[in-house]
C-alpha cells in the first residue's frame, strides 16, 4: 500500500513539472522520496524497492536546484550501477542508467567526460541490441550531440562532423518514419540547430542560415498543430532568437529585428500557457534588450527606450537583480 502511495506522489511530481508548477512539484517530490527511502531501508535486498528509490531520486532532482540535484543523482547512479552489475543485459535498467549519467554529467564538470563516455557506451549497446527501438535511438541522438560538443571544445572538427552529421541523419529518419511524433519532430529541429553549431565552428557560414531556418520551420509546423502546448512556443522562440542572433552578427539587423519580434510573440504565448516558467519570461526580457540594442544602434532612441523599459520591468517583476540593474542603466542612458 505504501509503495502505491509513493507512486501516486511521484505521478503528482510529473504532473506538476508538466504544468510548470515547481513549488507543487517539490512538495510532492519530498513526500515521495521520504516514502521511497523508508521502504528501501526496510528491505535493502529487494531490488524493486531500490529501483523505485533510484527513479524517485532522479525525478526529485528535476525539481531541485543544481547544488541539491547533484547528490541526488549521485545516489541514484550508485543504485543503478549496483542493479546493473546483477543484470547487465536488462535494457530497461540500462536505459535508466543512461538517463542518470546524462543528467549528472550536466552538473559534474570534473567528471563530465567520463560520465559522457559511459553514457555513450550504453547508448551504443542498447541500439545494437534493438535497432528498432525509438527510445534507444533517441538516447543515441543525445549521446551524439554531447560527444560532438566535446569534440568542438577539443578542436577536433573531423570527429565533431561525424557526430553531428550522424545525429542529423538519424533524427531525419526518425521524423520521416513517424511524422505524427512530436518528440521526433522536436529532435529533428534540435539536430538542425546542432548542425548549425558545427557549421559555425567550422567556418562554413553559408550552411548556418539554412540549418537554422529549417529548424525554425519544423518547430513552427509543430506550433501550428499544437497551439496550446507551451513548450513548443518556447522552442519556436529559441529557434527565432538563434536565427536572429546569426543575422544580427552577419550584418542584417532589420531582418534580425523582425525575428526577435516574432520571438517575443512566442515568449508571450508561452507565458500565458505556462505562467510559472520564469526562465522563459526572463528570456523574453533578454529579447527586448536585443531589440533595444538594434534600435539604439540604428538611432531610433524612442523605440530603444520603450524596449529597455519593457526589459527592465520584466526583470524587476522576476526579481532578477543584476539584469534589472543593467537594463535600468541602459534605459537611464537613453533619457
Amino acid at each position: 500500500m505504501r509503495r502505491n502511495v509513493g507512486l501516486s506522489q511521484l505521478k503528482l511530481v510529473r504532473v506538476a513539472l508538466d504544468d510548470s508548477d515547481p513549488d507543487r512539484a517539490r512538495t510532492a517530490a519530498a513526500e515521495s522520496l521520504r516514502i521511497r527511502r523508508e521502504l528501501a531501508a526496510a528491505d535493502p535486498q529487494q531490488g524493486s524497492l531500490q529501483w523505485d528509490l533510484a527513479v524517485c531520486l532522479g525525478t526529485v532532482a528535476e525539481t531541485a536546484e543544481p547544488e541539491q540535484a547533484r547528490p541526488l543523482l549521485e545516489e541514484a547512479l550508485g543504485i543503478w550501477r549496483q542493479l546493473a552489475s546483477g543484470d547487465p543485459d536488462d535494457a530497461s535498467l540500462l536505459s535508466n542508467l543512461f538517463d542518470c549519467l546524462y543528467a549528472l554529467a550536466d552538473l559534474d564538470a570534473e567528471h563530465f567526460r567520463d560520465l559522457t563516455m559511459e553514457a555513450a557506451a550504453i547508448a551504443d549497446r542498447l541500439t545494437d541490441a534493438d535497432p528498432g527501438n525509438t527510445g534507444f535511438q533517441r538516447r543515441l541522438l543525445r549521446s551524439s550531440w554531447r560527444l560532438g560538443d566535446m569534440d568542438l571544445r577539443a578542436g577536433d572538427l573531423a570527429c565533431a562532423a561525424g557526430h553531428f552529421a550522424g545525429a542529423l541523419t538519424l533524427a531525419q529518419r526518425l521524423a520521416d518514419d513517424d511524422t505524427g511524433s512530436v518528440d521526433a519532430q522536436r529532435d529533428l529541429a534540435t539536430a538542425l540547430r546542432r548542425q548549425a553549431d558545427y557549421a559555425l565552428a567550422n567556418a562554413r557560414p553559408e550552411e548556418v542560415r539554412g540549418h537554422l531556418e529549417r529548424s525554425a520551420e519544423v518547430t513552427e509546423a509543430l506550433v501550428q498543430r499544437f497551439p496550446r502546448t507551451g513548450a513548443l512556443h518556447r522552442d519556436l522562440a529559441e529557434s527565432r532568437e538563434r536565427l536572429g542572433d546569426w543575422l544580427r552578427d552577419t550584418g542584417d539587423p532589420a531582418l534580425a529585428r523582425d525575428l526577435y519580434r516574432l520571438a517575443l510573440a512566442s515568449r508571450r504565448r508561452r507565458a500565458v500557457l505556462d505562467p510559472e516558467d520564469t526562465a522563459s519570461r526572463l528570456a523574453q526580457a533578454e529579447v527586448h534588450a536585443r531589440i533595444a540594442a538594434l534600435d539604439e544602434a540604428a538611432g531610433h532612441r524612442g523605440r530603444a527606450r520603450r524596449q529597455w523599459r519593457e526589459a527592465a520591468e520584466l526583470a524587476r517583476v522576476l526579481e532578477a537583480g543584476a539584469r534589472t540593474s543593467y537594463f535600468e542603466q541602459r534605459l537611464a542612458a537613453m533619457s
Side-chain angles (χ1 to χ4, degrees):
M1 178 66 71
R2 283 175 57 77
R3 188 184 183 204
N4 291 336
V5 172
L7 282 171
S8 297
Q9 289 293 329
L10 206 57
K11 288 178 181 177
L12 290 176
V13 176
R14 296 252 50 104
V15 169
L17 288 173
D18 290 341
D19 290 343
S20 299
D21 189 342
D23 291 335
R24 182 158 54 96
R26 280 190 285 269
T27 299
E31 179 61 16
S32 179
L33 183 57
R34 183 185 67 79
I35 294 171
R36 292 295 175 202
R37 287 197 187 284
E38 289 179 359
L39 291 172
D43 191 356
Q45 302 305 313
Q46 177 59 259
S48 62
L49 297 179
Q50 297 299 320
W51 183 300
D52 289 347
L53 175 58
V55 169
C56 186
L57 287 163
T59 304
V60 173
E62 293 183 51
T63 74
E65 296 298 324
E67 58 271 19
Q68 285 87 43
R70 179 174 171 177
L72 293 170
L73 290 170
E74 288 173 339
E75 183 180 355
L77 180 58
I79 296 172
W80 290 125
R81 281 175 169 162
Q82 182 178 7
L83 292 172
S85 67
D87 193 356
D89 296 321
D90 186 309
S92 181
L93 198 160
L94 290 174
S95 296
N96 281 296
L97 177 55
F98 172 93
D99 294 342
C100 187
L101 288 162
Y102 194 89
L104 182 56
D106 281 332
L107 305 176
D108 189 345
E110 181 181 358
H111 301 103
F112 176 86
R113 180 178 178 81
D114 291 340
L115 293 167
T116 296
M117 296 303 293
E118 185 178 350
I122 292 172
D124 286 337
R125 283 182 60 191
L126 288 169
T127 51
D128 287 345
D130 187 358
N133 186 298
T134 301
F136 299 165
Q137 297 289 337
R138 295 191 69 218
R139 287 177 173 83
L140 186 62
L141 269 179
R142 292 157 61 195
S143 178
S144 296
W145 291 327
R146 184 155 284 177
L147 291 172
D149 287 338
M150 287 173 51
D151 292 334
L152 286 181
R153 285 196 292 270
D156 191 340
L157 294 178
C159 282
H163 286 123
F164 287 124
L168 179 55
T169 299
L170 176 56
Q172 184 67 66
R173 179 173 63 78
L174 292 173
D176 290 342
D177 288 347
D178 189 356
T179 56
S181 169
V182 173
D183 287 338
Q185 298 300 319
R186 291 182 78 182
D187 284 343
L188 176 57
T190 300
L192 287 161
R193 289 196 299 273
R194 304 318 309 278
Q195 190 70 11
D197 292 338
Y198 164 73
L200 187 61
N202 200 26
R204 296 160 71 173
E206 70 281 358
E207 297 180 12
V208 176
R209 180 171 179 172
H211 291 311
L212 291 177
E213 286 179 336
R214 189 164 167 237
S215 176
E217 289 169 0
V218 172
T219 308
E220 188 167 5
L222 282 174
V223 168
Q224 290 173 355
R225 288 171 55 197
F226 304 100
R228 295 194 58 78
T229 301
L232 297 179
H233 288 277
R234 181 192 59 215
D235 290 352
L236 183 55
E238 291 173 354
S239 291
R240 288 167 167 169
E241 289 157 19
R242 280 286 308 276
L243 182 55
D245 289 347
W246 189 84
L247 290 165
R248 176 199 61 195
D249 296 342
T250 54
D252 196 341
L255 188 51
R257 190 181 192 279
D258 289 343
L259 280 161
Y260 290 150
R261 289 185 64 81
L262 289 172
L264 275 180
S266 296
R267 290 290 182 190
R268 287 170 178 147
R269 186 58 180 159
R270 166 69 174 177
V272 170
L273 293 169
D274 296 293
E276 299 298 327
D277 185 357
T278 56
S280 186
R281 294 179 67 199
L282 185 57
Q284 180 182 333
E286 298 294 345
V287 179
H288 281 295
R290 286 180 174 96
I291 297 173
L294 290 177
D295 288 342
E296 194 172 335
H300 301 301
R301 294 177 62 83
R303 294 197 320 197
R305 276 195 297 272
R306 286 193 294 273
Q307 294 296 331
W308 286 123
R309 186 176 297 110
E310 290 274 6
E313 289 175 356
L314 258 177
R316 192 180 305 115
V317 168
L318 297 170
E319 300 181 348
R323 297 309 287 164
T324 302
S325 298
Y326 173 73
F327 297 147
E328 288 177 341
Q329 289 169 8
R330 295 299 297 266
L331 176 60
M334 299 298 297
S335 301

